[in-house]
Amino acid sequence: MKAGEPEEFIVDGRRLDGRRMDELRPLKIEAGVLKRADGSAYVEWGGNKVLAACYGPKEIHPRHEANPKRAVLRTYYSMAPFSVYERKRPGPDRRSMEISKVTRQALESVVFTHLYPMTAIDVFIEILQAQAGTRCAGITAASVALADAGIPMRDLVPACAAGKVGGHIVLDLFDVEDNYGEADLPVAIVPRTGEICLMQMDGNLTQEEFEQAFELAIKGCMQVYEKQKEALRKAYEKRSEE
Amino acid sequence: MKAGEPEEFIVDGRRLDGRRMDELRPLKIEAGVLKRADGSAYVEWGGNKVLAACYGPKEIHPRHEANPKRAVLRTYYSMAPFSVYERKRPGPDRRSMEISKVTRQALESVVFTHLYPMTAIDVFIEILQAQAGTRCAGITAASVALADAGIPMRDLVPACAAGKVGGHIVLDLFDVEDNYGEADLPVAIVPRTGEICLMQMDGNLTQEEFEQAFELAIKGCMQVYEKQKEALRKAYEKRSEE
Amino acid sequence: MKAGEPEEFIVDGRRLDGRRMDELRPLKIEAGVLKRADGSAYVEWGGNKVLAACYGPKEIHPRHEANPKRAVLRTYYSMAPFSVYERKRPGPDRRSMEISKVTRQALESVVFTHLYPMTAIDVFIEILQAQAGTRCAGITAASVALADAGIPMRDLVPACAAGKVGGHIVLDLFDVEDNYGEADLPVAIVPRTGEICLMQMDGNLTQEEFEQAFELAIKGCMQVYEKQKEALRKAYEKRSEE
Amino acid sequence: MNQDIIADIRKDHVERLLDEGRRVDGRGFDEYRKVSVEVGVNERAEGSALVTLGRTRVMVGVKLAVGMPFPDMPDSGVLTTNAELIPLASPTFERGPPDEDTVELARVVDRAIRESGCIELEKLCIEEGELVWIVFIDLHPLDYDGNLFDACTLGAIAALKNTYMPKLEDGKVDYKTRTEEKLPVRDTPVEVTYCKIGRHILLDPCLEEEEVLDARLTVGYNEKGEIVAMQKGGSGTFTKEEIVDIVRKGREKAEFLRQHIPG
Amino acid sequence: MNQDIIADIRKDHVERLLDEGRRVDGRGFDEYRKVSVEVGVNERAEGSALVTLGRTRVMVGVKLAVGMPFPDMPDSGVLTTNAELIPLASPTFERGPPDEDTVELARVVDRAIRESGCIELEKLCIEEGELVWIVFIDLHPLDYDGNLFDACTLGAIAALKNTYMPKLEDGKVDYKTRTEEKLPVRDTPVEVTYCKIGRHILLDPCLEEEEVLDARLTVGYNEKGEIVAMQKGGSGTFTKEEIVDIVRKGREKAEFLRQHIPG
Amino acid sequence: MNQDIIADIRKDHVERLLDEGRRVDGRGFDEYRKVSVEVGVNERAEGSALVTLGRTRVMVGVKLAVGMPFPDMPDSGVLTTNAELIPLASPTFERGPPDEDTVELARVVDRAIRESGCIELEKLCIEEGELVWIVFIDLHPLDYDGNLFDACTLGAIAALKNTYMPKLEDGKVDYKTRTEEKLPVRDTPVEVTYCKIGRHILLDPCLEEEEVLDARLTVGYNEKGEIVAMQKGGSGTFTKEEIVDIVRKGREKAEFLRQHIPG
């Protein structure tokens, strides 16, 4: 048993932070929060605080990275030094590099990149405060920032994890569950078609548990999707009023 | 009190190295000391030994850094590993980067960069031996090296610091005064017009002390200016003789 | 005496691994071992296991490195993390950089680079398992890989070291001899003309010892040369059969 | 090429307005943009602040760690100030190791904090010569519209004053448990930046002004109004009189900024 | 430009063949290429394996060292997985610090090894909180013809099962003396990769397929058939049903791979 | 392109002169340029030397520090040789991490110093296995006109012979207090470089020769005249006879260089 590990994850049918098995942490999404960026979004999701910004389509440097048939989508996931308990040294680490890659691939499945050949679309995700699930929060924020920048997409990309803790399949793990639980399964989807555009897993699941967690994560994504659309609607209304 | 801190800085009206309050350390400037560089200068200033070299105007790499309206001035301040008591690891550190930047900005105020569009002018400052005041010694050497290279300038740029030690405003701090004194105020000027092109300060000064130190530093710069001109005169005479 | 140093290097006229003074370690060379590379070779030489691959002539990036009069030959010597007793951190170290340079210069003396202006020829040497003499094994493999890629050369480049251990001049030092012996003298030659294209030495040799070791190393190279030619012959035959 | 021509046109525009007594955003020459400071905005940091200066927004986080003291200061805590100009905050910020501007920002903010002696570093010794507290100040601009110096220094001191000590157990930090004890802070340094465009001296340059300025002067003041840090920037120059004047009138602007720090 | 047009033509070609029920190399859709695993191939490594998967060849070396445990796991050994995509192995691999693909490979292989708990890390404590064994797994592709995930995971577990503990003396490792004791390994995780090209799902993509795939799914299984790791790749998507199906049928493919591990 | 054509023309010119028995700077084929060595030129370094070889100028600094010994040499000091080719010294030197030429220079100079055993490293043990002296030799060319190998090796040994031990207190170095004790040095290795241009063998190539040479051979000798280091450079070759001959006649040139070391 690792230091800090709880004895039980589920007490009286409730999780350690009081949620039900299939309940998301409180989620707040705001679009159009930054002035300089072409599009932006802020996500507060449980103890996660995440900013995403989109710049582009724009000229690409270095030039030889340009693609004559489509825009190059570049995504950078990064954690602020003060976003975690033990100060993180600035600069990309291996985990950030992997998350940047899977995030890019998830977003590529919805962005109409062929409309902007020879350009770059940059998406920056900054984790200001972390409490597990930052990659899902980041993807969720990123697709809102893209939409806020007016980048044509066939859909938004909501993301949400399910997992297994203390033998139970639960939705949207928070940090204690993530650190000491048995499995984590982040998923991102294209809601209109139900396609899966991001999927990772680590831990231990039987086939049955996997299928159950997978279903649950998809349901979580659909809830996130509603919040995304609402955020964009509000931003649009606010802009119209101005 | 830090280890090595002296009990008094001023004894019988003299500083710990025997100087008066408004007295420069011994200063020796020589121009045209290197064969490969287009222009060069060597400065011995108290315990500081500094070389500066100028290369250019020359082709610029990478090309996209070129400016169609003026030469790009690049300055690099660097300390030899054996220039300080505790061996310095090679390569730029944060302090060197800042000094390189303020040095460049100080020199940009006098160099006629618009005469050489699309080119680079590189200035390298190498601290061979340090005893406080190396940024001033470096700027002083750099503008002589530029002149020695024949780069058109509206004036030389002498630099000198004043500061406060043991409650007294003094000129040109040496290392003990710099390490344990109350304030250091390096200044560089354009002597013909009296303009200030570099100014930094750290420590603690009242308004009155600041104004007094500022005046003193400017006077120091004027003394340095005389030495600069003398060095260029000698280099010119020597070259004529050859 | 260093930890692990043997008391004697020569017992009953034999070396610690049973060899005579002028005897090579078992040497096996195979050409054409990799599918992706344009040419390749595998060398097992005593406890050394070395792969070499050649890619080219090919377009050169970045472009400004291209030479209008000849191909640019680039060589990279690298050690796998598990090739030595104490795990080597990935990435080039100073030793690898030096070996890459002398290897390149040795091969440049035989490759007809003027036939492929504006192109690059890349040679990669990977040490999978090391037991002293890896630079000689690497050069030996590299020139076979170049030939296997069909790069025109005026000759192959065999390499072999001689040295001094326990007062004796011996051929082809293995690790114990290399670590605790008195001198190591790696040599590479152009066999048809007898020219010397690589030569390094560290340790301590009198003029007489040097001349003796030098002669011995050249003889070793000639033995290596036979194995190189045989490997290419076999690869050619195998390819014809296919 | 176009970039440079546009820069000239912009500078002409800004300067012509100034000649008419107007700034691009309508402010007085001696006026700050709207300032607000919020503290305790980050649950993972021991101290934090979010500063808004017009449309410039900066988050500052203070983290505490333990480590070895410097050999020449064996009984003193260690202060480390770091800035990151993340490309999220501006199209002109680039990824990669800290560049000249990033380093200058961190060092100039550090200067005011350090030279004012506002952190009582001598109280941060845990075991002399062996273990002391290390104070990390991370400057993190989120939206860049000019004058990061003043915004970041303000954020840094606001965050420091809001910093709680984490629990220490057996020489290790338990970040999840925050004590009641605050980081000992005894002064409130701030920095005030003026710029010069043509013959005009302006307080608090916004981005549009920053991009065309000739020279810049940042001055740090402690609570007593003493000068603790200065940094001139830009390829242009100041006259002696301009500098003396800026240093004098900056003092009351410092007091103005200081009033925005909560608590 | 040509590169991109060629890519399209290639994709057309591969997909058209698949529509006719044929793969570029003639395999069945659900068939692995020829697999072979050789262990103990490197005398300097404590454990090693050479895996051949069609024309893909990978060497994996396991090295042991001693060092400090992680503070939150004071009585547990440490696992570190590293990949190098050396340019010897492919014209598309470049020198320099690890890129995204290298990092992903190392992390996805690490996931199966770590999450299956196959290494009994708790037995690798030498002195609690002070000294533990560090297990370095180095993934070293030598000839790249696609599907490094499966080849490297297979090589990693084969090498681990073949790893001998070196002698430990006074807290230092004597690498030249190997003990009889083996690294404690209690499970045999492997990874199975399917890809999607157009509407087709294919096992074990070769390079020609990898270059044109829409999406990729790698699933790691332990000996019991439980899922221990997953990673989706590619800019395309899967349907929910496709994923559930891949995860189901991958299980027997994992068993197939596992049978190739010697000993 | 022009660069390469100019290089050819230059080479023709240099070689034609040599065919007539003349070097570009008028020296004999077997003649060094003017050599001077000044020691004690740097007050911050424990040892230092300024070497002038024609128009090539090199500063070498020796710094001492304390640290851990290597595990396999627990009772021996540590030698570290480092070179920096700073762009101040030549338009062809570039900023950034050490390149191939920098590394080769440092390693070839190190070879003569290390293999001659000139520093009595065994006397530099402070506490076996715990604390030893580390000797840093920093090679710092200031003006580059060819043959850095000989100039730097000469500077290194001159600086070493001029190195004073700093005071040691409680395992820490007090750099401001220099003891009377000198670094124990028992030999005086130097390096001698010949180059080959066409069919000519020349001592001490100046820059104009270095830029067009076919091959280069550097040989290090100890005081007894034994060979302690060799390094061949350049894309051309030597005959066996040429090498043997260079090694023989270099010995007296080494003695010539050695006489320039003060003290």
Side-chain angles (χ1 to χ4, degrees), chain B residues 69 98 101 108 195 200, chain D residues 8 101 104 107 235 237:
Chain B
K69 296 177 55 187
E98 185 193 346
K101 181 178 176 177
E108 278 174 342
E195 290 158 85
Q200 296 184 288
Chain D
D8 277 5
D101 294 335
E104 190 189 25
R107 286 177 60 85
S235 309
T237 59

Side-chain angles (χ1 to χ4, degrees), chain F residues 188-203:
Chain F
T188 313
V190 291
E191 290 189 337
V192 174
T193 296
Y194 282 86
C195 77
K196 181 175 175 181
I197 297 175
R199 57 189 174 83
H200 307 287
I201 302 289
L202 309 170
L203 181 65

